[in-house]
Amino acid sequence: MKHIVKIITLLVAVSALWIGLLEMSVVPRSQTWLLPIYFIVSLGCYGLLMVGIGLMHFPTCPQEAVLLQQDIVEAKDFLKQRGVDVGSK
């Protein structure tokens, strides 16, 4: 619930800023109308940057890989006991 409140607060603040800029004519009106598009593009670039950084620092989990392989072997044995053909591997 807290996360949605933060998002709504941010959207209200950005909307108030944008409407304020439209009303006060601080920024030329031709550029003010493009501010939401600039905001969305900037947000997309930020998201891509965060995904890229997350991929660069992606942790490897060797213990989890071993546990996953054990689970796979157990599942294959269980299915073989039930008469299901699971392949040669």
Side-chain angles (χ1 to χ4, degrees):
M1 186 65 181
K2 291 180 183 179
H3 192 64
I4 192 72
V5 172
K6 289 179 185 177
I7 292 172
I8 290 173
T9 304
L10 180 66
L11 288 175
V12 168
V14 168
S15 298
L17 177 69
W18 182 56
I19 291 171
L21 288 174
L22 279 174
E23 294 298 322
M24 292 175 29
S25 298
V26 174
V27 180
R29 197 174 273 284
S30 63
Q31 293 177 359
T32 308
W33 286 107
L34 295 175
L35 285 178
I37 295 171
Y38 293 151
F39 178 72
I40 292 170
V41 169
S42 299
L43 189 62
C45 291
Y46 174 76
L48 286 175
L49 177 70
M50 290 296 108
V51 168
I53 289 173
L55 288 174
M56 286 191 296
H57 297 289
F58 189 73
T60 56
C61 304
Q63 301 89 0
E64 295 298 323
V66 170
L67 291 174
L68 180 61
Q69 290 299 324
Q70 290 174 353
D71 287 344
I72 291 172
V73 169
E74 289 176 15
K76 283 184 179 182
D77 290 340
F78 176 78
L79 290 173
K80 283 181 185 176
Q81 290 174 356
R82 302 282 182 199
V84 177
D85 183 25
V86 292
S88 60
K89 289 188 174 183

